[in-house]
């Protein structure tokens, strides 16, 4: 049996010591320091022993226990002081707690002579649960109250005398850092040792019940003790954290603050990153293209076309977004690391519940604004199958960061000074779509859906750290670069192949005009579907088709298509200008509404094949295909609605 | 949706459970409804979690505890394949949910 009594220092923990260890003489009373973690137990141990201790694993365990000699001032008594591992309860849930329990819950003659329960005055009830358990057995206990200064600052005053009367054990306040109250602790222990073991407390109703009943009885006991001993000042000063929370989590102002913060993020992103993006664009379309043309001057046209018009134009165009994505990831990391995003999530949760949607669904949806794939996986946190399916169907409507590249390109091309606001508007539209589609599904497919009660704990605000922010930004940027270097490169190659293969005109492979290619034929067959939405040009339809693979591919496909077209015509039109010309033509000069309609379609239709695969994995093929059909229908209706209404206003 | 806590003759733990079951989402609200000190509410929630009647789930990401290697979206080298910050992100809300053990009325059995 694990025990303290009768164990000599040589048998105790002795892996190492500080070289100045003083050992308690054989037979010295054993005083054990117990308490929850971080209550100042080890600080008290060091103050009492002069920091001279042996440290090491308790025999047969991996748990470290400190042991040393304590000789109180003006006292001839020597105590064998043991610093027990931190424990909330004698119902152990960790090896540390198991050892503490084993060393305390032993036959009476083998127990520590006195247990000093170190209790944090600022979190008294947390400390008193262990006291309630200790008082259920014959045991000498002395309570040492620490952190009374912290409690005072929080408007909490603990009266040791009243607490002593309520708990039946001696209670004294001390400060191990300032070394005050240590002599009084010595006196209290000496006094306690002069008396027999304290009788176990009489337990109230619940002692014969299950573990909840027993725990509840202890809580009732400690609650009464806290009530008797603690004074809470009426006017406790609100912390700055409370004041910020009162604003950012306000039922009305909270959502407004969230929207304002997100608007600022997109405004800063689009304006600050724009010059860097332009510089990279000039680099890829200028020197990089010229060098590639020079190096590949003797190479076959097909190879030159793939490298220059495909990889450099397509992937290069996507890479110009690296500064923009990095800046946005950095700003979002700042909001996350500060603790604000957790509050925004709670605000979103309220909105979801107000609409009758499952509360916990908001978390996968928040994740979806970064990337839809992990968001689909996040639906596993939902307990009900219906909730999981509903949320997995809603996730694709959250606007992931891949879609941001297309928004930014179109917004900066068509709405220059309003680019940030237009991008922000797309995110707003995304939220509205989630709510409306969710509401619609609840009203049609799932009229009954169980709700799951839960309590949300928020992290404290903190000053964002450069290390965490840069790490998070880098991980997310790597994801973007991997997509650009993997899926998008593969898509560029397939698009290049389709653009090289003629389906009419009789030219050889690689010699045909792009309008006669398989790519243009397929895109042209799809394009009329978008006529009511104002963007029926085959180049745009083709980009949307490749966007099924990944939304970044929309940009690379456009860049690739117009680069090939330019090469055929010997022109050098910037991508934005080429796209503008086609939008003007297909929308009969209602360019603005057509572009907005295109962006709305892009927001609402299937995000990427990876998301589809994730949906199949989580909710099965049937629901995944239903979701895809629903997204296409919603996207088309939305685009048509935006264009037709937009036309009315010019 | 907020209901009153369990009957006032119930102990603090059952009062807190009653609040959570009734849809209360905030510790301050629990304290206000039960009349318990905030510190007692905190401690009660901690104890209920230890008893296995509440489950704490970090909600910031879908990342499995075992890391990216065990995730469907993870890469072969056990790095994130999705751009998420990965497990260990601590700046996220934590959901405390009643376990089915409690909902089925078998608490503490």
């Amino acid at each position: 049996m694990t025990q303290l009594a009768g164990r000599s220092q040589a048998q105790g923990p002795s892996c190492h010591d500080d070289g100045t260890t003083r050992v308690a003489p054989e037979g010295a009373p054993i005083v054990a320091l117990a308490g929850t973690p971080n209550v100042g137990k080890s600080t008290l141990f060091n103050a009492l022993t002069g920091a001279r201790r042996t440290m090491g694993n308790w025999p047969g365990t991996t748990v470290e226990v400190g042991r040393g000699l304590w000789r109180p001032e003006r006292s001839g008594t020597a105590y064998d002081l043991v610093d027990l591992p931190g424990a909330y309860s004698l119902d152990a849930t960790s090896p540390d707690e198991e050892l503490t329990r084993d060393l305390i819950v032993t036959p009476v003659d083998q127990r520590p002579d006195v247990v000093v329960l170190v209790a944090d005055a600022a979190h008294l009830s947390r400390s008193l649960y262990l006291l309630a358990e200790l008082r259920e057995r014959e045991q000498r206990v002395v309570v040492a109250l620490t952190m009374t200064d912290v409690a005072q600052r929080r408007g909490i005053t603990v009266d040791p005398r009243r607490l002593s009367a309520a708990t039946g054990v001696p209670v004294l306040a001390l400060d191990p850092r300032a070394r005050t109250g240590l002599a009084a602790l010595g006196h209290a222990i000496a006094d306690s040792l002069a008396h027999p073991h304290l009788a176990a407390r009489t337990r109230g109703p619940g002692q014969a019940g299950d573990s909840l009943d027993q725990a509840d009885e202890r809580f009732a006991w400690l609650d009464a003790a806290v009530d008797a001993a603690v004074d809470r000042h009426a006017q406790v000063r609100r912390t700055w954290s409370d004041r910020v929370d009162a604003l950012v989590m306000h039922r009305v102002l909270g959502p407004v603050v969230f929207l304002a913060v997100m608007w600022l993020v997109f405004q800063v992103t689009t304006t600050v990153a724009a010059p860097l993006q332009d510089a990279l664009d000039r680099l890829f379309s200028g020197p990089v293209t010229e060098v590639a043309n020079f190096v590949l001057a003797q190479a076959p046209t097909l190879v030159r076309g793939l490298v220059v018009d495909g990889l450099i134009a397509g992937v290069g165009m996507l890479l110009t977004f690296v500064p923009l994505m990095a800046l946005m990831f950095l700003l979002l990391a700042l909001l996350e690391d500060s603790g604000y995003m957790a509050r925004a999530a709670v605000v979103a949760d309220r909105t979801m519940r107000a609409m009758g949607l499952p509360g916990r669904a908001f978390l996968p949806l928040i994740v979806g604004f970064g990337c839809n794939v992990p968001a689909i996986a996040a639906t596993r946190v939902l307990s009900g199958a219906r909730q999981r399916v509903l949320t997995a169907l809603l996730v694709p409507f959250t606007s992931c960061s891949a879609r941001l590249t297309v928004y930014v390109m179109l917004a900066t091309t068509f709405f220059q000074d309003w680019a940030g606001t237009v991008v922000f508007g797309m995110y707003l539209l995304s939220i509205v779509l989630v709510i409306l589609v969710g509401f619609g599904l609840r009203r049609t497919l799932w009229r009954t859906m169980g709700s799951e009660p839960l309590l949300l704990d928020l992290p404290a605000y903190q000053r964002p750290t450069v290390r965490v922010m840069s790490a998070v930004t880098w991980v997310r940027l790597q994801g973007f670069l991997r997509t650009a270097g993997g899926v998008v490169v593969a898509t560029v190659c397939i698009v290049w192949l389709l653009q090289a293969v003629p389906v009419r005109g009789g030219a050889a492979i690689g010699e045909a005009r792009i309008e006669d290619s398989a790519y243009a034929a397929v895109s042209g067959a799809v394009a009329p579907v978008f006529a009511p939405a104002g963007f029926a040009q085959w180049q745009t339809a083709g980009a949307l088709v490749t966007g099924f693979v990944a939304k970044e591919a929309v940009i690379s496909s456009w860049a690739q298509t117009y680069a090939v077209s330019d090469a055929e015509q010997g022109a050098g039109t910037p991508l934005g200008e080429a796209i503008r010309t086609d939008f003007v033509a297909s929308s009969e000069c209602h360019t603005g509404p057509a572009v907005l309609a295109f962006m709305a379609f892009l927001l609402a239709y299937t995000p990427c094949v990876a998301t589809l695969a994730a949906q199949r994995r989580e909710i099965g093929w049937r629901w995944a295909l239903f979701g895809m059909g629903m997204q296409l229908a919603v996207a088309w209706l939305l685009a048509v609605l935006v264009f037709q209404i937009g036309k009315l206003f010019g | 949706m907020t209901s009153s806590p369990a009957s006032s003759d119930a102990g603090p733990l059952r009062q807190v459970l009653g609040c959570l079951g009734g849809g209360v989402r905030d510790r301050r609200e629990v304290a206000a409804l039960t009349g318990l000190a905030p510190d007692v509410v905190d401690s009660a929630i901690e104890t209920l979690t230890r008893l296995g009647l509440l489950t704490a789930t970090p909600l910031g990401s879908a990342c499995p505890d075992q890391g990216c290697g065990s995730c469907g979206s993870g890469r072969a080298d056990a790095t994130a394949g999705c751009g998420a910050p990965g497990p260990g992100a601590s700046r996220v809300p934590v959901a405390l949910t009643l376990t089915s053990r409690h909902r089925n009325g078998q608490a503490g059995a």
Side-chain angles (χ1 to χ4, degrees):
Chain A
M1 176 179 286
T2 308
Q3 62 184 61
L4 285 163
R7 182 181 292 276
S8 73
Q9 285 287 289
Q11 290 169 303
S14 57
C15 287
H16 60 269
D17 61 50
D18 61 4
T20 57
T21 308
R22 292 182 300 171
V23 178
E26 190 74 33
I30 296 172
V31 176
L33 298 183
T36 57
N38 304 317
V39 288
K41 210 156 43 66
S42 294
T43 312
L44 177 60
F45 181 92
N46 288 337
L48 297 176
T49 60
R52 285 184 281 266
R53 61 159 70 190
T54 55
M55 284 298 297
N57 291 345
W58 191 262
T61 74
T62 56
V63 181
E64 201 168 59
V65 173
R67 199 158 189 176
L69 166 69
W70 173 32
R71 206 181 285 279
E73 280 179 40
R74 293 188 287 280
S75 164
T77 318
Y79 296 121
D80 182 1
L81 194 66
V82 182
D83 185 11
L84 295 177
Y88 294 96
S89 162
L90 295 179
D91 292 327
T93 58
S94 69
D96 285 24
E97 289 188 338
E98 272 175 31
L99 181 62
T100 296
R101 180 199 59 201
D102 290 349
L103 293 177
I104 291 177
V105 184
T106 58
V108 174
D109 60 333
Q110 292 164 5
R111 290 178 190 171
D113 295 285
V114 181
V115 172
V116 175
L117 181 86
V118 186
D120 176 357
H123 300 97
L124 190 58
S125 62
R126 198 165 181 244
S127 298
L128 291 191
Y129 189 80
L130 183 58
L131 178 63
E133 291 179 305
L134 286 171
R135 289 288 287 107
E136 287 164 16
R137 45 189 45 81
E138 288 184 16
Q139 175 72 61
R140 294 187 192 92
V141 181
V142 173
V143 173
L145 274 180
T146 57
M147 306 201 191
T148 48
D149 51 340
V150 178
Q152 284 283 358
R153 283 200 292 275
R154 295 182 186 173
I156 299 167
T157 306
V158 182
D159 184 329
R161 276 187 300 184
R162 276 158 38 201
L163 186 59
S164 175
T167 58
V169 298
V171 178
L172 51 106
L174 49 78
D175 185 346
R177 288 162 302 174
R179 295 179 182 256
T180 57
L182 304 188
L185 179 63
H187 294 314
I189 288 171
D191 190 43
S192 183
L193 283 167
H195 296 88
H197 281 289
L198 208 60
R201 75 179 172 91
T202 310
R203 299 187 61 189
Q207 60 173 330
D210 59 22
S211 57
L212 176 59
D213 287 333
Q214 291 173 9
D216 214 7
E217 189 277 332
R218 288 174 193 136
F219 257 86
W221 180 82
L222 76 85
D223 185 37
V226 169
D227 256 359
V230 174
D231 293 316
R232 288 185 170 77
H233 309 308
Q235 293 297 322
V236 179
R237 196 166 58 87
R238 289 172 78 202
T239 63
W240 69 268
S241 171
D242 291 335
R243 290 177 198 176
V244 174
D245 274 353
L247 174 67
V248 302
M249 293 177 67
H250 190 272
R251 288 188 186 277
V252 179
L253 293 176
V256 177
V257 170
F258 172 66
L259 294 177
V261 167
M262 293 316 290
W263 178 82
L264 200 63
V265 166
F266 294 122
Q267 199 65 24
V268 169
T269 303
T270 49
T271 51
V272 173
L276 289 169
Q277 196 177 359
D278 288 345
L280 277 175
D281 189 18
R282 284 195 294 274
L283 177 72
F284 281 110
S285 58
V288 173
T289 303
E290 286 164 15
V291 168
N293 273 325
F294 177 75
V295 170
L296 299 171
Q298 304 304 318
T301 314
L302 264 177
V303 174
R304 201 167 60 240
L306 172 63
V307 174
V308 177
D309 301 333
L311 296 176
I312 294 178
V315 182
M317 171 54 73
L318 194 57
L319 291 178
T320 63
F321 285 90
V322 166
L324 183 137
M325 301 305 278
L327 186 57
M328 193 189 72
F329 291 149
L330 186 72
L331 291 173
L332 292 179
L334 186 144
L335 293 175
E336 283 168 15
D337 199 32
S338 66
Y340 172 71
M341 278 312 242
R343 270 83 184 165
V346 173
V347 169
D349 167 49
R350 285 201 202 117
T351 312
M352 294 288 291
R353 281 189 294 145
M355 297 300 294
L357 297 175
R360 270 218 271 182
F362 74 94
L363 242 304
L365 295 172
I366 294 270
V367 174
F369 282 99
C371 176
N372 286 183
V373 177
I376 299 283
T379 57
R380 292 174 204 162
V381 301
L382 300 168
S383 58
R386 287 180 171 189
Q387 294 184 353
R388 276 200 295 277
V389 173
L390 172 63
T391 310
L393 291 176
L394 292 180
V395 163
F397 291 106
T398 57
S399 191
C400 66
S401 57
R403 283 171 257 202
L404 178 68
T405 52
V406 189
Y407 299 155
V408 169
M409 198 195 79
L410 292 174
T412 49
T413 302
F414 291 93
F415 306 102
Q416 293 85 14
D417 293 342
W418 295 90
T421 306
V422 168
V423 174
F424 167 71
M426 294 312 298
Y427 279 79
L428 211 56
L429 180 62
S430 170
I431 295 169
V432 171
L433 271 182
V434 167
I435 291 172
L436 289 183
V437 174
F439 198 60
L441 290 174
R442 279 298 314 266
R443 291 280 165 186
T444 51
L445 289 181
W446 297 290
R447 286 173 181 275
T448 57
M449 185 175 288
S451 67
E452 185 185 34
L454 83 163
L455 184 138
L456 285 173
D457 264 351
L458 294 171
Y461 285 109
Q462 69 167 19
R463 193 189 301 272
T465 54
V466 174
R467 187 185 59 78
V468 171
M469 282 168 51
S470 49
V472 170
T473 302
W474 175 235
V475 167
R476 289 178 179 164
L477 199 58
Q478 274 181 311
F480 177 73
L481 291 171
R482 270 199 291 265
T483 305
V487 175
V488 174
V489 166
T491 310
V492 161
C493 292
I494 293 168
V495 168
W496 164 81
L497 193 66
L498 290 171
Q499 289 180 346
V501 175
V503 291
R504 53 182 170 241
I509 289 179
E511 302 295 331
R513 293 186 321 131
I514 191 167
E515 286 82 1
D516 296 329
S517 68
Y519 180 80
V522 172
S523 306
V526 176
V529 173
F530 300 115
F535 51 91
Q537 62 274 35
W538 68 265
Q539 294 90 336
T540 301
L544 286 175
V545 171
T546 57
F548 260 101
V549 179
K551 284 293 160 282
E552 295 92 336
V554 170
I555 298 225
S556 64
S557 298
W558 257 337
Q560 198 174 354
T561 304
Y562 289 114
V564 171
S565 189
D566 272 0
E568 287 169 2
Q569 295 163 17
T573 319
L575 178 60
E577 276 310 304
I579 293 173
R580 178 190 290 277
T581 305
D582 275 346
F583 265 105
V584 169
S586 70
S587 66
E588 295 170 348
C589 296
H590 298 291
T591 317
V595 172
L596 290 176
F598 176 83
M599 289 165 79
F601 187 89
L602 186 98
L603 160 66
Y605 88 113
T606 314
C608 60
V609 285
T611 301
L612 204 58
Q615 278 185 317
R616 185 199 61 79
R617 194 174 58 228
E618 298 299 329
I619 58 174
W621 265 125
R622 199 165 58 93
W623 283 116
L625 290 175
F626 169 80
M628 194 174 81
M630 178 181 69
Q631 291 149 24
L632 284 170
V634 169
W636 187 84
L637 282 172
L638 185 67
V640 171
L641 208 62
V642 168
F643 181 65
Q644 297 300 333
I645 292 175
K647 262 198 333 184
L648 300 177
F649 295 95
Chain B
M1 178 184 62
T2 300
S3 73
S4 56
S7 64
S8 57
D9 57 346
L13 292 184
R14 288 200 187 275
Q15 288 183 50
V16 171
L17 279 175
C19 281
L20 298 184
V24 175
R25 295 217 164 192
D26 185 285
R27 288 179 189 241
R28 273 179 280 200
E29 214 175 323
V30 173
L33 278 169
T34 57
L36 296 169
D39 181 33
V40 175
V41 172
D42 290 343
S43 183
I45 287 170
E46 201 169 286
T47 303
L48 289 169
T49 308
R50 288 172 58 88
L51 288 172
L53 299 174
L54 286 178
T55 309
T57 318
L59 294 180
S61 75
C63 304
D65 295 339
Q66 296 79 10
C68 300
S70 64
C71 176
S73 305
R75 305 177 74 80
D77 60 355
T79 56
C82 61
S90 59
R91 318 301 304 156
V92 298
V94 175
L96 290 156
T97 327
L98 294 175
T99 56
S100 52
R101 187 174 150 219
H102 173 70
R103 286 199 297 269
N104 296 338
Q106 297 167 349

